[in-house]
């Protein structure tokens, strides 16, 4: 082999090493995306929940679980969805929210990954605004005032709620 051939061979080996490093880096980045990748579905992403907020939601549910649905209601004798949410924020978080789901939907900011205490909104066509609101709990579950069952937990993955889901809004300072 000539000197020129040796220089070319050395250059080629150097280039291959650089390509291998780039390929390894690209593979590592791709692997990270696969392992921790984004999900467009809010219900498939798992977020570590705030235990204090979970406890507040559970306490609210314990107090309100036998409350029947009553359009325009805001008390334990009967409540609608926005009345339940308004009472939760007032009594558990010391925050004043508007009375209607339509006004509550204007608060805070929109998020794609819900956390405990966020407001989940649905376009159901019921009530004046056609909106329904609940309080996100964890693992796809949310607390709300069901027209047929009163105050209950439901799951965002149920067909009805998937079909009518509109958005999630964060109105707390977290």
């Amino acid at each position: 082999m000539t000197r020129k051939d040796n220089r070319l061979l050395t250059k080629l080996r150097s280039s291959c090493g650089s390509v291998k490093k780039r390929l390894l880096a690209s593979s590592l980045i791709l692997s990270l995306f696969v392992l921790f990748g984004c999900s467009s579905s809010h219900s498939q992403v798992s977020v570590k929940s705030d235990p204090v907020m979970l406890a507040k939601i559970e306490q609210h549910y314990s107090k309100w679980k036998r409350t029947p649905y009553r359009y325009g209601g805001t008390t334990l004798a009967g409540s609608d969805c926005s009345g339940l949410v308004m009472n939760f924020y007032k009594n558990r978080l010391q925050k004043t929210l508007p009375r209607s789901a339509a006004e509550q939907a204007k608060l805070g900011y929109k998020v794609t990954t819900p956390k405990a205490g966020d407001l989940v909104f649905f376009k159901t066509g019921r009530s004046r605004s056609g909106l329904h609101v609940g309080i996100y709990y964890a693992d796809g579950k949310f607390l709300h005032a069901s027209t047929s069952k009163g105050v209950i937990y439901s799951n965002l993955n149920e067909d009805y709620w998937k079909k009518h889901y509109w958005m999630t809004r964060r109105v707390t300072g977290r």
Side-chain angles (χ1 to χ4, degrees):
M1 264 190 347
T2 66
R3 281 186 165 167
K4 187 176 180 182
D5 291 336
N6 279 337
R7 278 184 281 171
L8 285 173
L9 186 58
T10 304
K11 214 176 194 180
L12 183 61
R13 283 184 185 148
S14 173
S15 293
C16 285
S18 177
V19 168
K20 283 182 184 178
K21 287 178 187 174
R22 284 189 198 134
L23 185 59
L24 181 62
S26 297
S27 297
L28 181 60
I29 290 169
L30 181 61
S31 297
L32 289 173
F33 276 121
V34 169
L35 287 174
F36 304 105
C38 301
S39 173
S40 62
S41 173
H42 53 82
S43 59
Q44 293 176 349
V45 177
S46 179
V47 174
K48 187 170 173 102
S49 297
D50 174 8
V52 173
M53 182 62 77
L54 292 176
K56 289 179 180 188
I57 296 169
E58 289 167 7
Q59 290 166 354
H60 199 66
Y61 173 67
S62 292
K63 184 175 180 178
W64 288 75
K65 67 182 167 189
R66 291 182 182 84
T67 303
Y69 181 88
R70 182 171 295 139
Y71 182 76
T74 61
T75 68
L76 292 170
S79 182
D80 63 14
C81 61
S82 58
L84 176 74
V85 168
M86 182 186 72
N87 274 289
F88 171 75
Y89 270 81
K90 179 181 177 186
N91 297 319
R92 304 288 173 187
L93 303 177
Q94 289 69 50
K95 186 174 176 85
T96 303
L97 262 58
R99 175 64 187 90
S100 73
E103 289 300 311
Q104 291 172 359
K106 297 175 185 176
L107 300 174
Y109 55 96
K110 200 172 184 178
V111 294
T112 55
T113 305
K115 290 183 180 180
D118 288 347
L119 301 182
V120 286
F121 291 91
F122 306 88
K123 290 187 176 181
T124 61
R126 295 181 180 198
S127 79
R128 282 194 189 134
S129 69
L131 298 180
H132 184 71
V133 63
I135 305 159
Y136 187 79
Y137 179 71
D139 300 321
K141 290 186 349 184
F142 66 100
L143 181 65
H144 67 114
S146 160
T147 56
S148 60
K149 297 177 184 172
V151 175
I152 61 167
Y153 284 105
S154 290
N155 196 306
L156 293 170
N157 292 315
E158 293 171 21
D159 288 341
Y160 179 83
W161 298 115
K162 264 188 195 179
K163 180 181 174 186
H164 292 92
Y165 175 80
W166 178 33
M167 69 173 165
T168 300
R169 296 192 73 83
R170 186 157 299 146
V171 296
T172 59
R174 339 171 251 117

